[in-house]
């Protein structure tokens, strides 16, 4: 959905750039008379924001999660450090399915398709290694400080 909104916003921006915003012009005919010609009023569009940029692999989340792991390029990115009681959200931004599975069975997202998310709240301090069971070379660790 984010990609659709970004593409839509980019299209609106480009459409606005194509409108020359021409103003009234005066042209002379062969008899010397001057005729005022006006163009249609410029098209107005809703204010748009710049297209969303890709977030770093692990970043603070705006939706209440302490950290977000963005799966991209068959990688979890850098491993986050959070506090006890913090939520970590995982988003699969890849075009192929992945899992976010704790090596010690504490959490398991199940299969995440493109755009799917999974969140987990860490209640105890420690190191939580994880893996994608579909792609076992994809690994990482959540460090929970308490």
């Amino acid at each position: 959905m984010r990609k659709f909104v970004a593409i839509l916003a980019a299209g609106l921006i480009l459409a606005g750039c194509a409108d020359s915003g021409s103003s009234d012009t005066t042209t002379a005919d062969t008899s010397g008379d001057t005729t005022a010609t006006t163009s249609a009023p410029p098209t107005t569009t809703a204010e748009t924001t710049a297209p969303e940029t890709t977030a770093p692999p692990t970043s603070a989340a705006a939706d209440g999660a302490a950290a977000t792991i963005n799966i991209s390029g068959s990688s979890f990115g850098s491993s986050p450090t959070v506090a006890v009681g913090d939520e970590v959200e995982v988003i699969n931004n890849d075009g192929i399915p992945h899992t976010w599975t704790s090596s010690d069975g504490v959490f398991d997202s199940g299969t995440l398709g493109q755009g799917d998310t999974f969140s987990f709240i860490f209640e105890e301090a420690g190191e939580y290694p994880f893996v994608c069971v579909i792609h076992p070379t994809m690994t990482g660790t959540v460090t929970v400080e308490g």
Side-chain angles (χ1 to χ4, degrees):
M1 182 67 176
R2 289 184 198 180
K3 287 182 182 179
F4 174 76
V5 172
I7 291 169
L8 179 62
L12 290 173
I13 290 170
L14 290 175
C17 291
D19 180 16
S20 66
S22 61
S23 59
D24 293 348
T25 59
T26 303
T27 58
D29 66 15
T30 56
S31 65
D33 292 337
T34 303
T35 306
T37 306
T38 58
S39 61
T43 304
T44 58
T45 58
E47 184 176 324
T48 60
T49 57
E52 187 176 313
T53 58
T54 303
T58 303
S59 61
D63 63 356
T68 299
I69 297 172
N70 290 297
I71 301 172
S72 180
S74 291
S75 172
F76 289 112
S78 59
S79 295
T81 298
V82 297
V84 169
D86 280 351
E87 178 181 24
V88 174
E89 178 182 55
V90 176
I91 303 170
N92 182 4
N93 292 311
D94 244 347
I96 57 175
H98 294 287
T99 71
W100 185 53
T101 306
S102 168
S103 299
D104 55 6
V106 174
F107 55 86
D108 185 358
S109 67
T111 301
L112 299 171
Q114 184 176 20
D116 288 345
T117 63
F118 177 80
S119 296
F120 185 79
I121 297 174
F122 290 86
E123 300 293 341
E124 294 183 24
E127 299 284 317
Y128 295 87
F130 56 85
V131 64
C132 171
V133 296
I134 301 169
H135 309 99
T137 59
M138 291 176 58
T139 61
T141 303
V142 175
T143 302
V144 182
E145 298 175 338

